[in-house]
Amino acid sequence: MRKKVNPFTHLWFHPVDTVKSVLMERSFWGIFFLAFLGAWATSLFGTMDQKNMVTSSGDLPNSFIIIFAGAVGAIFALIVGSIFTAFFYWLVGKILKGTGSFVALYKGSMFLTFPHFLLFPFVIIYLIAYPANFYNTDLNQTAGSITLAIIVVILAVICSIYTFIVGIVMLSEVHQYSKWKAFFTMILSVAVISAIIFACVGIFLGLTQL
């Protein structure tokens, strides 16, 4: 009988076992709730150093509204955004002779945000305690805001590395092929998605000039 692992602690030392356990034992909603904190943290981290969120008169957005909006954005990203990610993982995987189903890749795509749960409490504290510095890191910093900013950035890098590892393991397990094929599946999928986004932005900007 396979021993059930705690993904919150097991991931950092045994990422392969953790991914296998989650994919095998967790339902769609089980993975959703595991990934939610990480997606929420990622959403909030995206607002860090966004100077345009501060009005010309220096008024700051309400931190609790931003936190709530981050939660809504996380739900949208997990449920809707993961569909597009899973589609390209499925498409590129099939080209590379993978056997994974779209549903399994959908669940696996949601789990990619999971490592960022570690970032969540520090982003929340930074946003609430030092909102001015959070939105504009060029302002004069206190010892506390500098410490939190450094912690957040370092953790974001670590979590991003683990997200990449989780992605490779997930694709390898779902598609039942080598880690190298999983690596190229990730790279090609990201390249295609990025190209589509840039093309859409370019078309939109072009239309606005007409």
Side-chain angles (χ1 to χ4, degrees):
M1 182 178 179
R2 186 183 181 89
K3 183 180 178 181
K4 194 170 184 178
V5 302
N6 180 353
F8 292 96
T9 56
H10 206 72
L11 173 72
W12 311 108
F13 303 100
H14 307 284
V16 175
D17 288 344
T18 304
V19 173
K20 288 181 179 179
S21 174
V22 168
L23 292 178
M24 289 175 59
E25 300 169 4
R26 306 278 179 163
S27 66
F28 175 89
W29 289 111
I31 292 177
F32 172 86
F33 287 115
L34 275 179
F36 176 67
L37 272 187
W40 195 357
T42 302
S43 179
L44 293 176
F45 181 74
T47 64
M48 183 174 166
D49 203 29
Q50 294 297 312
K51 302 177 181 63
N52 61 326
M53 297 186 70
V54 181
T55 65
S56 57
S57 59
D59 294 329
L60 299 171
N62 186 293
S63 296
F64 294 100
I65 292 177
I66 295 298
I67 291 171
F68 175 76
V72 174
I75 294 171
F76 181 84
L78 287 175
I79 294 179
V80 180
S82 294
I83 292 177
F84 295 98
T85 304
F87 172 75
F88 286 105
Y89 283 165
W90 174 83
L91 182 63
V92 176
K94 290 299 181 184
I95 294 172
L96 296 177
K97 309 300 182 182
T99 60
S101 69
F102 176 79
V103 173
L105 289 164
Y106 187 15
K107 291 167 60 178
S109 297
M110 287 198 300
F111 190 65
L112 295 181
T113 64
F114 174 70
H116 285 82
F117 78 86
L118 197 64
L119 190 63
F120 183 76
F122 298 98
V123 173
I124 290 290
I125 294 171
Y126 189 19
L127 174 57
I128 294 176
Y130 304 99
N133 296 115
F134 183 89
Y135 295 117
N136 187 354
T137 55
D138 294 335
L139 296 178
N140 292 330
Q141 301 266 5
T142 65
S145 65
I146 291 174
T147 301
L148 278 170
I150 291 172
I151 291 174
V152 167
V153 170
I154 290 175
L155 287 179
V157 172
I158 294 172
C159 293
S160 297
I161 292 171
Y162 269 87
T163 293
F164 187 70
I165 294 171
V166 166
I168 290 177
V169 175
M170 180 275 290
L171 289 168
S172 178
E173 289 298 314
V174 174
H175 274 307
Q176 291 296 297
Y177 55 32
S178 70
K179 299 293 190 299
W180 277 110
K181 282 190 175 183
F183 171 80
F184 285 114
T185 300
M186 283 197 74
I187 297 301
L188 289 172
S189 297
V190 170
V192 171
I193 292 171
S194 299
I196 292 173
I197 292 173
F198 281 120
C200 290
V201 171
I203 293 171
F204 175 77
L205 292 175
L207 291 174
T208 59
Q209 301 301 315
L210 296 176

